[in-house]
Amino acid sequence: MANLINLQGNQACAMGAIAAGCRFYAGYPITPSSEIAETMARELPKVGGVFIQMEDEIASMGAVVGASMGGAKAMTATSGPGFSLKQENLGYACASEIPCVIINVMRGGPSTGMPTRPAQGDIMQARWGTHGDHPIIVLTPASVAECYTETIRAFELTERLRVPVIVLVDEVIGHLVETVDLEALAPKETIERRFATGPADGFEPYAVTDDMVPPFPRPGDGYRSHTTGLTHLPSGFPTQNPEKASAALLRTTDKLDLHADLIEACEIIECDNADIIIATIGISARAAQQAVTDLRAKGIKAGLFRPKTLWPFPEKRLKEVAKNAKIILVPEMNQGQLILEIERLMARHMPVIGLNKINGEAITPAEITAKVSEVLA
Amino acid sequence: MNISETQTPFDINDYIRLEQMPHFLCPGCGHGIALRALLWAIHELKIDKDKLAVVSGIGCSGRLSAYIDANTFHTTHGRPLAYATGMALARPDLHVIVITGDGDSLAIGGNHLIHACRRNLNMTCMMLNNEIYGMTGGQVSPTTSSNRYTTTTPEGNTEPVFDACALATAAGASFVGREVTMQVTGLKNLLRDGIEHHGFSFVEVISDCTEIYGRKNDLGMSPEMLLSQKATMRPDAYRNTVDVPFRPNALECGVLAKADRPEYGCATREKNARVQAKAEGK
Amino acid sequence: MDHFEVRFSGSGGQGLILSAKFLSAALVSDGYTVAQSQSYEPVSRGGLSRSDLVVSKGQAAFPLSQGLSFLLILDGAAAQASNDLLNRNSLVLVDSEQVPIPPTGDFNLVNLPFTKTARDLGNKRVANIVALSALVARSGMCSKETLETVVRTKTPPKFASLNIEAFTAGWHLV
């Protein structure tokens, strides 16, 4: 018997986190993500977890990384202005391979922008927000159910791979309430971080292992290791030796290539014989899904390519799916960010055309069908 | 407390990572003295190194964590208190000690400091005050004395100085103390009392930057700088005496504030346990 | 009806989102899948506010309104805001007191005294429940019993009897 409830996207993110085993949350109030903090404040203590509202966005990211360094599954949530502030300590987590989940509910920007209005303007910031080359995983739910399941997947990936995972939600999906069956979506088991075991003597916290994910030395387990944001050796201590620095940095990014199959996820609808492929994320993908149905009804062969894992971008999948297409359309609520990646991959094979909207309203199915008709004419 | 009789003598080699020697501190730097005092206090308190978490920020002070044989975390500039807050809440079984500097905790990390004081989470924050940004080449800091020369105050500093202990006290820290590196035993005792204190303890250590600050301001080498600490400090025993023979405005040392306030971690865990029991009882 | 869209519009603080939540819960217990969205200004009280339901059998591809089957307008500020989404089949319920100049066009417009009815019950803040009840009575989108159960069970005890009175009064308005 289905146990259907009406749940909000932001709340679903919080419930997903708890289902995945998240037991620490630090945050700072910001529209339109505050319901995540509010839900965590209410629900975390019930399962033995800790919620804290910190003095600012920077501190909340620091506290999350600190809790995770202590061994806890930890998360924070924010929106544009706060996401900018979190980049510093997010970079630390990338450099020192500390698992953590950051939910960014995108609102209109830049700066204070339009706090209650949706946008998809942080696609590039999510990838390149912190300084320096760094590994990062970005997931993009497009429904309330996916807010739940993708937050769970975010924890699975971050704990398994020791790479920070960003869940990039737009305001529409974050505030959308949909009918879901959480019991049906709940994980059968949770993925746990691999903690270091065995002798402490000679233990190297960043040793090169087969899977390139070094076991995590939990404080109290006897390893007494050192963690730093300085570029470090397998021993954990800093180095400026050119060869060793290069090898250490490459391992953290090569790790993502090695585990590409685990990380990659996309939704592909009606792309097999499609002449035009619509590639997009979040609420824009929901509009595109409707548009595909409407266009097919009119005899236009359209398909949808939706990266659920936005970064690393599922480039092989897009190339496969689009190999017989004639045009790619990229609707997005910004001035053209996702399109840059798709142009990089596909522009030499076919025209890649953008549909952009930055007025604080979602792209509609009608706008997509109109654009397709215009492009095909 | 009298522990000396029951204890093995303190040997710093038991507490440092010898493989990380030689250290990177300049000759005459006071930070090494502070590190020694801290480890001595940890020894006297018989803290298990496996349960010791040392969290530091960025700057010369931030580098100290790497030399301690414990769980050590060299975090971002100004943020060690934020990291430590997360760690202490997630792992109440750990002894959390933060090492920070004057720029780290009073400038870029000022907000975290005042809120850590207010929150009163059980941890100790040792702030090494050498009045300068040493790591970046000697720029003015919030504690640089008036008229001192730094690379960013070529005509002398005109900004007022932060009194870190007054700030911590006003913000609600339940244990506040200050000591100079010249008084190693006093510093060790102060740190020991701070670590033993149940709540947030803030200890300011007046340390010397000989190579950059000292040279730039013609303050002499390490011995001269240490001696000048003596001229400007005011030991606890003389707290209530008139300024003579001390210099006017000499720094008060010792425990400057102590209050019995609810500790944040315990209060949170108690409250959460009630919520959890209620949730599970349903 | 396999797919229909409902909008509650007015100004912030009128309880529009609560009405939408009640209706949403009722529709789900009647076997529908609902997507509820809202749009509001960055103020807690006042400002244009609306909550939309996209109701379908199975999850709708696009969860936002594209053409309103039912529109409720409780404040003059919202009178013209939804015109682009109305068509000849749309049913528009307007508060006769709060919306002095109702929208005009090729759709079914009904003026009803939601606020007055609520005031007569002793609290004009239950106008949202009066309106919700009237909308359901008029449209038949779910049964009276289903909605009444939701109003009864999801209202805090302190306001339960008042909300049920509002529900009953609203039901008899049409």
Side-chain angles (χ1 to χ4, degrees):
Chain A
M1 177 67 196
N3 186 15
L4 296 172
I5 55 165
N6 290 326
L7 190 68
Q8 187 202 47
N10 280 346
Q11 291 171 338
C13 287
M15 300 309 286
I18 289 173
C22 174
R23 291 298 177 267
F24 184 88
Y25 183 99
Y28 186 80
I30 186 165
T31 302
S33 78
S34 293
E35 294 87 356
I36 300 175
E38 289 163 3
T39 308
M40 292 305 258
R42 194 177 62 238
E43 299 298 326
L44 260 184
K46 295 181 188 171
V47 293
V50 179
F51 168 91
I52 184 169
Q53 182 173 314
M54 294 296 286
E55 56 270 18
D56 57 36
E57 295 277 3
I58 297 169
S60 59
M61 190 65 219
V64 161
V65 180
S68 182
M69 294 193 304
K73 287 184 180 175
M75 178 177 96
T76 188
T78 188
S79 184
F83 193 49
S84 296
L85 289 166
K86 284 181 157 45
Q87 297 297 340
E88 173 198 44
N89 290 325
L90 173 58
Y92 182 89
C94 294
S96 51
E97 298 175 77
I98 309 298
C100 55
V101 172
I102 302 98
I103 297 179
N104 175 17
V105 185
M106 291 183 283
R107 68 190 220 185
S111 189
T112 312
M114 291 186 273
T116 64
R117 304 283 184 208
Q120 295 177 322
D122 303 347
I123 287 173
M124 283 299 171
Q125 195 194 6
R127 177 62 195 89
W128 295 115
T130 199
H131 57 277
D133 294 308
H134 58 277
I136 198 91
I137 296 173
V138 181
L139 311 182
T140 55
S143 66
V144 173
E146 274 190 4
C147 283
Y148 183 78
T149 55
E150 290 299 284
T151 304
I152 293 169
R153 198 162 71 89
F155 272 97
E156 291 173 351
L157 291 172
T158 198
E159 294 291 329
R160 172 70 188 84
L161 300 173
R162 294 186 60 180
V163 175
V165 178
I166 293 162
V167 182
L168 201 57
V169 184
D170 52 64
E171 187 274 343
V172 176
I173 300 296
H175 276 162
L176 186 67
V177 174
E178 289 189 291
T179 311
V180 294
D181 180 354
L182 282 195
E183 281 173 30
L185 297 171
K188 304 278 178 290
E189 54 177 354
T190 55
I191 305 289
E192 303 304 322
R193 193 181 312 180
R194 189 151 57 97
F195 290 106
T197 54
D201 249 6
F203 172 79
E204 290 197 315
Y206 294 96
V208 182
T209 53
D210 286 347
D211 67 353
M212 294 200 197
V213 185
F216 190 94
R218 182 166 41 193
D221 289 357
Y223 295 98
R224 301 200 299 276
S225 59
H226 185 60
T227 306
T228 178
L230 289 164
T231 302
H232 42 268
L233 297 164
S235 66
F237 293 97
T239 182
Q240 296 203 54
N241 172 309
E243 270 173 45
K244 289 174 178 171
S246 177
L249 292 169
L250 282 173
R251 181 183 58 73
T252 65
T253 45
D254 286 351
K255 180 166 72 173
L256 294 191
D257 295 337
L258 184 67
H259 296 281
D261 290 347
L262 183 69
I263 299 166
E264 186 185 277
C266 32
E267 184 180 39
I268 293 160
I269 295 176
E270 305 256 25
C271 283
D272 280 351
N273 63 350
D275 291 329
I276 181 157
I277 287 181
I278 307 167
T280 182
I281 59 164
I283 184 62
S284 303
R286 297 287 293 271
Q289 191 186 335
Q290 176 69 51
V292 166
T293 308
D294 297 347
L295 288 164
R296 290 262 168 189
K298 290 198 280 184
I300 296 168
K301 290 179 187 166
L304 170 66
F305 178 82
R306 176 170 76 88
K308 285 163 78 170
T309 301
L310 175 62
W311 303 112
F313 192 82
E315 52 181 83
K316 274 190 207 146
R317 295 287 284 149
L318 178 63
K319 282 179 176 166
E320 271 165 36
V321 159
K323 64 176 184 284
N324 297 319
K326 298 191 175 80
I327 295 174
I328 299 185
L329 176 68
V330 187
E332 49 185 330
M333 293 156 67
N334 56 48
Q335 295 189 51
Q337 298 190 15
L338 179 60
I339 197 171
L340 297 176
E341 179 70 0
I342 293 174
E343 279 174 345
R344 182 181 76 80
L345 298 167
M346 306 305 294
R348 84 193 80 154
H349 306 296
M350 61 194 73
V352 179
I353 294 161
L355 169 57
N356 306 94
K357 198 168 176 183
I358 52 164
N359 66 353
E361 291 180 346
I363 294 171
T364 65
E367 286 167 339
I368 295 177
T369 51
K371 185 73 179 181
V372 169
S373 306
E374 175 199 317
V375 164
L376 293 178
Chain B
M1 75 196 228
N2 187 359
I3 17 185
S4 53
E5 293 153 28
T6 59
Q7 276 229 322
T8 53
F10 170 58
D11 180 353
I12 193 166
N13 293 317
D14 293 339
Y15 292 91
I16 57 172
R17 291 173 171 144
L18 287 169
E19 71 277 14
Q20 293 303 311
M21 298 296 136
H23 61 72
F24 93 128
L25 298 170
C26 302
C29 172
H31 288 12
I33 303 173
L35 176 61
R36 182 188 176 87
L38 174 67
L39 298 177
W40 190 3
I42 286 164
H43 173 78
E44 289 197 352
L45 291 167
K46 296 181 176 162
I47 290 171
D48 178 359
K49 291 189 288 185
D50 284 337
K51 293 284 190 186
L52 175 63
V54 180
V55 185
S56 63
I58 295 294
C60 299
S61 64
R63 291 296 188 105
L64 294 190
S65 62
Y67 303 122
I68 303 174
D69 182 18
N71 306 283
T72 56
F73 306 92
H74 177 220
T75 67
T76 51
H77 196 17
R79 322 297 176 209
L81 285 166
Y83 282 74
T85 298
M87 184 170 292
L89 284 172
R91 293 292 304 276
D93 59 315
L94 299 176
H95 295 270
V96 179
I97 291 175
V98 170
I99 301 177
T100 181
D102 42 299
D104 201 50
S105 68
L106 295 176
I108 192 167
N111 200 32
H112 311 309
L113 175 64
I114 58 174
H115 288 277
C117 292
R118 173 180 67 87
R119 210 173 272 126
N120 200 33
L121 179 60
N122 191 31
M123 65 174 76
T124 298
C125 175
M126 177 172 86
M127 187 196 87
L128 303 176
N129 178 2
N130 60 4
E131 301 193 27
I132 195 82
Y133 286 84
M135 179 80 84
T136 46
Q139 295 79 15
V140 69
S141 101
T143 58
T144 304
S145 296
S146 290
N147 301 318
R148 293 285 201 217
Y149 298 106
T150 72
T151 56
T152 48
T153 54
E155 302 299 324
N157 179 27
T158 49
E159 286 198 16
V161 173
F162 238 142
D163 180 337
C165 289
L167 177 73
T169 306
S174 55
F175 182 104
V176 178
R178 179 191 288 126
E179 196 48 89
V180 293
T181 49
M182 177 151 185
Q183 300 288 351
V184 183
T185 313
L187 177 56
K188 175 263 292 177
N189 290 340
L190 181 65
L191 286 165
R192 188 191 61 208
D193 294 349
I195 296 167
E196 261 198 316
H197 173 76
H198 187 58
F200 184 79
S201 51
F202 179 80
V203 175
E204 177 184 12
V205 183
I206 306 299
S207 181
D208 293 323
C209 171
T210 50
E211 279 298 304
I212 293 173
Y213 193 61
R215 282 160 60 128
K216 188 101 180 165
N217 288 285
D218 204 15
L219 301 175
M221 297 301 284
S222 179
E224 289 79 16
M225 289 187 79
L226 279 172
L227 282 171
S228 84
Q229 285 183 352
K230 193 172 184 179
T232 56
M233 77 177 203
R234 182 197 293 239
D236 203 31
Y238 296 91
R239 175 96 66 92
N240 298 319
T241 59
V242 290
D243 280 334
V244 181
F246 306 104
R247 272 176 32 171
N249 306 318
L251 286 169
E252 281 185 295
C253 291
V255 179
L256 305 180
K258 201 169 175 190
D260 185 20
R261 291 179 50 219
E263 192 273 321
Y264 180 83
C266 280
T268 302
R269 283 187 291 279
E270 277 169 26
K271 186 197 70 190
N272 286 356
R274 284 197 300 275
V275 174
Q276 191 177 7
K278 197 176 159 197
E280 284 169 356
K282 271 179 191 167
Chain C
M1 288 187 289
D2 277 354
H3 182 99
F4 58 97
E5 300 177 1
V6 191
R7 169 169 293 180
F8 297 81
S9 66
S11 62
Q14 286 188 313
L16 300 161
I17 292 174
L18 183 71
S19 294
K21 272 187 184 169
F22 282 173
L23 180 56
S24 181
L27 292 167
V28 168
S29 65
D30 272 4
Y32 284 107
T33 298
V34 181
Q36 183 191 341
S37 58
Q38 44 262 319
S39 172
Y40 57 95
E41 308 287 331
V43 290
S44 290
R45 293 290 177 268
L48 206 59
S49 169
R50 64 164 196 253
S51 184
D52 291 3
L53 302 186
V54 171
V55 186
S56 52
K57 297 283 185 187
Q59 183 172 287
F62 189 60
L64 305 180
S65 291
Q66 301 171 81
L68 297 171
S69 325
F70 307 101
L71 169 66
L72 189 67
I73 306 174
L74 283 189
D75 191 290
Q80 312 296 332
S82 306
N83 288 359
D84 290 351
L85 295 175
L86 297 175
N87 57 55
R88 57 186 315 179
N89 296 319
S90 304
L91 171 64
V92 181
L93 267 57
V94 172
D95 188 291
S96 45
E97 188 176 285
Q98 298 296 315
V99 188
I101 308 166
T104 51
D106 186 13
F107 46 76
N108 309 307
L109 183 79
V110 181
N111 268 287
L112 289 169
F114 303 126
T115 305
K116 181 183 181 303
T117 306
R119 205 171 39 240
D120 291 347
L121 291 171
N123 190 338
K124 79 171 195 168
R125 293 189 67 166
V126 293
N128 63 333
I129 304 296
V130 175
L132 166 66
S133 177
L135 172 67
V136 171
R138 174 75 188 229
S139 65
M141 65 179 92
C142 72
S143 74
K144 185 182 181 189
E145 291 67 33
T146 312
L147 185 63
E148 191 173 352
T149 306
V150 169
V151 173
R152 198 182 294 283
T153 54
K154 294 206 183 262
T155 303
K158 208 165 119 188
F159 301 107
S161 65
L162 181 60
N163 266 0
I164 287 298
E165 280 179 50
F167 172 83
T168 310
W171 198 269
H172 293 112
L173 270 186
V174 294

